[in-house]
Amino acid sequence: TAIVITEQPVSVSVPLGYSFTLRCRAKGWTSLQYQWFCQYQSVCCQISGATKQDLPITAQQTQLYTCRINDLYKNATFSDWVKVEVHHCVARGVPPRLWQGEPVIVLNPTEQRVEVGKPLQLQCAAMGVPAPRYQWYQNGNLLEHQKKKKLWISHAKVSDSGTYLCCASNSHGEHWTNAVDVHVEGGETLSPAERLQLCHLIFLLATGKIALLVGNNHYQHHPNLMAPVTDVFELSLLLEQLGFQVVSLLD
């Protein structure tokens, strides 16, 4: 092609007010002209006066940038779009005073409790120049398809329970988030009658002495028994006389 980009700009993730430079380099058959553009939300516009290879920026808001390169024969090409991510809420002392662009965690994931079948989401964020890459781990095992700031599982399973953490890395090094526990709790397994009995049991536990009697008539290798029914009935009467609340269950 007539124009070849030899150095693409790179995405960055920086605190509000941080100053840096986006760079673009190209070569062609004639002298080249550069023009930078930015896009905020859905609006793309030409940056007035941004006609050099380097674009100085003082970070104010998260937006996208690209550079157009022209030659004298009206050939043109665009660089990759890059993202300048701006963090507005960064703790004092982050990044360190002598920051060289290595990843710095600014948002750690938090402990989660979700029901089986419900969405599971963990989130983290890091600053870095270039912008960090992300890799999530569960119980020390790499999660092959979880490579974004947000870990997303649309339908959580019990096996998704465990300890999670994320590694943010770039060409200057890596930094790990705090480890957090995720609890995926089993779904509803009781029948309506069992739920009613359980609620009654809990109520009784909260209000006084309780006796739980279980009489079993049916055994796999034994004829049906009649005594347990009688025993449970008689023992219930005795315990009630002693001030117990009694829950009797059969089989």
Side-chain angles (χ1 to χ4, degrees):
T1 59
I3 302 172
V4 177
I5 296 178
T6 58
E7 182 180 350
Q8 294 277 4
V10 296
S11 297
V12 301
S13 182
V14 295
L16 179 68
Y18 185 80
S19 296
F20 62 98
T21 299
L22 291 180
R23 293 167 50 90
C24 184
R25 299 288 187 273
K27 62 181 181 180
W29 299 111
T30 70
S31 59
L32 301 176
Q33 297 174 333
Y34 293 78
Q35 177 61 60
W36 288 89
F37 296 80
C38 67
Q39 178 177 324
Y40 178 66
Q41 295 179 345
S42 60
V43 179
C44 181
C45 62
Q46 179 175 304
I47 303 174
S48 178
T51 57
K52 297 183 179 180
Q53 296 174 317
D54 294 345
L55 177 65
I57 295 176
T58 299
Q60 297 297 325
Q61 61 188 7
T62 297
Q63 53 190 18
L64 303 175
Y65 291 85
T66 188
C67 186
R68 185 188 66 205
I69 304 102
N70 296 81
D71 65 13
L72 298 181
Y73 296 116
K74 298 184 179 180
N75 296 307
T77 189
F78 282 84
S79 73
D80 296 340
W81 282 95
V82 295
K83 183 177 184 179
V84 174
E85 182 179 33
V86 179
H87 297 275
H88 290 261
C89 299
V90 176
R92 182 175 297 179
V94 178
R97 180 175 299 178
L98 300 178
W99 189 46
Q100 299 297 312
E102 66 276 11
V104 175
I105 302 297
V106 295
L107 176 65
N108 278 287
T110 57
E111 182 177 349
Q112 300 289 319
R113 288 184 178 272
V114 298
E115 293 182 6
V116 168
K118 299 293 185 181
L120 168 62
Q121 177 177 290
L122 294 174
Q123 186 171 357
C124 70
M127 297 186 301
V129 181
R133 302 177 299 275
Y134 296 90
Q135 177 61 64
W136 287 89
Y137 293 79
Q138 178 195 15
N139 299 329
N141 299 314
L142 183 147
L143 298 174
E144 184 65 33
H145 302 294
Q146 299 291 352
K147 298 178 181 293
K148 298 181 179 180
K149 288 189 296 182
K150 291 183 179 180
L151 177 147
W152 173 259
I153 298 173
S154 57
H155 298 88
K157 307 182 293 294
V158 173
S159 60
D160 293 319
S161 296
T163 301
Y164 288 75
L165 74 168
C166 185
C167 177
S169 63
N170 64 12
S171 56
H172 297 291
E174 64 183 29
H175 202 165
W176 296 75
T177 67
N178 295 339
V180 296
D181 291 329
V182 169
H183 308 274
V184 181
E185 300 166 348
E188 183 63 76
T189 58
L190 299 179
S191 68
E194 289 171 328
R195 289 201 303 271
L196 182 62
Q197 242 178 4
L198 181 60
C199 290
H200 182 55
L201 184 63
I202 293 172
F203 171 76
L204 294 175
L205 281 168
T207 56
K209 295 186 295 182
I210 181 171
L212 173 62
L213 304 182
V214 180
N216 192 35
N217 290 326
H218 301 292
Y219 291 87
Q220 185 176 0
H221 301 295
H222 196 285
N224 290 348
L225 304 176
M226 292 305 298
V229 177
T230 305
D231 292 345
V232 166
F233 176 76
E234 293 180 351
L235 191 54
S236 295
L237 294 178
L238 176 61
L239 290 170
E240 286 173 354
Q241 292 173 4
L242 296 175
F244 281 83
Q245 299 282 350
V246 179
V247 175
S248 299
L249 302 175
L250 295 176
D251 298 323

